[in-house]
Amino acid sequence: DTGVSQDPRHKITKRGQNVTFRCDPISEHNRLYWYRQTLGQGPEFLTYFQNEAQLEKSRLLSDRFSAERPKGSFSTLEIQRTEQGDSAMYLCASSLLGTGNTIYFGEGSWLTVV
Amino acid sequence: AQTVTQSQPEMSVQEAETVTLSCTYDTSESDYYLFWYKQPPSRQMILVIRQEAYKQQNATENRFSVNFQKAAKSFSLKISDSQLGDAAMYFCAYRSGLGGNEKLTFGTGTRLTIIP
């Protein structure tokens, strides 16, 4: 069990460019989550998947954001036309199906928009 | 909507001493879960301890224990025999017990410094 892995760990992009982050959850974890964390704040929920179905999206997830989990395994989070306010750590997490199961986090993908 | 409040942005403790981190939350639900996560400088969030709201007994994990006061909606974390490796951001988090409401709601965190 290698844990939740995220790629890239760091990304610097110019305003207006598109970026994509990838998350590989713990093997056999049905649920996959995306959170955003800015400096000095706790993580904020963005969206989550159960297998390949996206079951909930936060209001924080504007039209420029899209997340997919096409085969119920890895997931991608794409941000189109990046803005400086998108600069943050994007955290992926996964868990087994079942209310109250522990959610395990990856190390995050740090985005800087210049 | 549920909210989680951590009123101590920073705390420090002498190595080997005990420290308590505070957390309060607001919810109208009766079934829920509470968590303390640790985020060291490497940034990976690690679960420290969890508490099911229906359990009256406070959770304990080695040097970490909680004081869960359901009526007061308080969930503090006590770290005994503090070690240098305990230095990190600590986040309190809430998760509903209702099926289909899977997200964690986090507080703003407490930065814990261990003084050698």
Side-chain angles (χ1 to χ4, degrees):
Chain A
D1 186 350
T2 57
V4 180
S5 61
Q6 295 187 241
D7 183 71
R9 294 290 315 282
H10 299 89
K11 178 73 175 177
I12 300 175
T13 190
K14 293 183 178 180
R15 189 175 52 185
Q17 298 294 306
N18 299 343
V19 296
T20 299
F21 300 111
R22 176 182 170 121
C23 171
D24 287 271
I26 294 172
S27 179
E28 298 181 355
H29 275 194
N30 318 85
R31 290 190 174 142
L32 186 148
Y33 312 79
W34 286 99
Y35 286 79
R36 182 173 71 184
Q37 185 179 18
T38 54
L39 283 175
Q41 299 296 317
E44 297 173 292
F45 172 80
L46 292 178
T47 187
Y48 96 95
F49 293 83
Q50 183 166 304
N51 300 313
E52 67 274 11
Q54 189 174 17
L55 296 187
E56 186 175 352
K57 293 195 292 186
S58 162
R59 290 173 298 172
L60 294 174
L61 215 64
S62 74
D63 292 345
R64 297 184 297 105
F65 288 70
S66 63
E68 295 182 345
R69 193 182 184 197
K71 297 182 180 179
S73 56
F74 73 92
S75 175
T76 58
L77 177 67
E78 181 183 18
I79 309 173
Q80 297 182 326
R81 305 181 303 282
T82 52
E83 302 173 355
Q84 286 189 322
D86 297 331
S87 295
M89 173 78 79
Y90 291 86
L91 292 165
C92 180
S94 70
S95 73
L96 287 168
L97 189 68
T99 302
N101 277 331
T102 298
I103 296 175
Y104 297 88
F105 284 82
E107 294 187 12
S109 292
W110 185 245
L111 173 65
T112 301
V113 181
V114 298
Chain B
Q2 293 79 25
T3 58
V4 177
T5 301
Q6 294 179 252
S7 59
Q8 304 157 316
E10 296 183 354
M11 291 282 285
S12 60
V13 62
Q14 291 281 142
E15 193 175 2
E17 297 295 311
T18 296
V19 64
T20 298
L21 308 184
S22 300
C23 173
T24 58
Y25 58 95
D26 189 26
T27 184
S28 58
E29 299 175 338
S30 59
D31 184 20
Y32 51 87
Y33 302 83
L34 296 166
F35 305 85
W36 279 98
Y37 277 89
K38 170 185 176 181
Q39 192 175 42
S42 66
R43 308 291 289 183
Q44 183 172 24
M45 200 85 66
I46 303 166
L47 178 67
V48 174
I49 198 166
R50 59 178 281 160
Q51 175 80 43
E52 291 85 351
Y54 64 85
K55 291 186 177 179
Q56 293 187 343
Q57 187 172 6
N58 289 325
T60 299
E61 288 287 342
N62 301 314
R63 297 182 296 108
F64 299 88
S65 61
V66 299
N67 184 4
F68 173 47
Q69 301 290 326
K70 191 171 184 179
K73 296 180 182 174
S74 171
F75 183 61
S76 61
L77 174 70
K78 185 171 82 171
I79 306 174
S80 303
D81 185 25
S82 297
Q83 301 175 359
L84 293 177
D86 295 333
M89 284 290 290
Y90 285 81
F91 292 97
C92 179
Y94 172 101
R95 187 178 183 188
S96 172
L98 293 175
N101 191 347
E102 305 300 330
K103 64 178 180 285
L104 286 167
T105 300
F106 287 88
T108 52
T110 296
R111 181 176 302 281
L112 178 64
T113 301
I114 309 298
I115 303 168

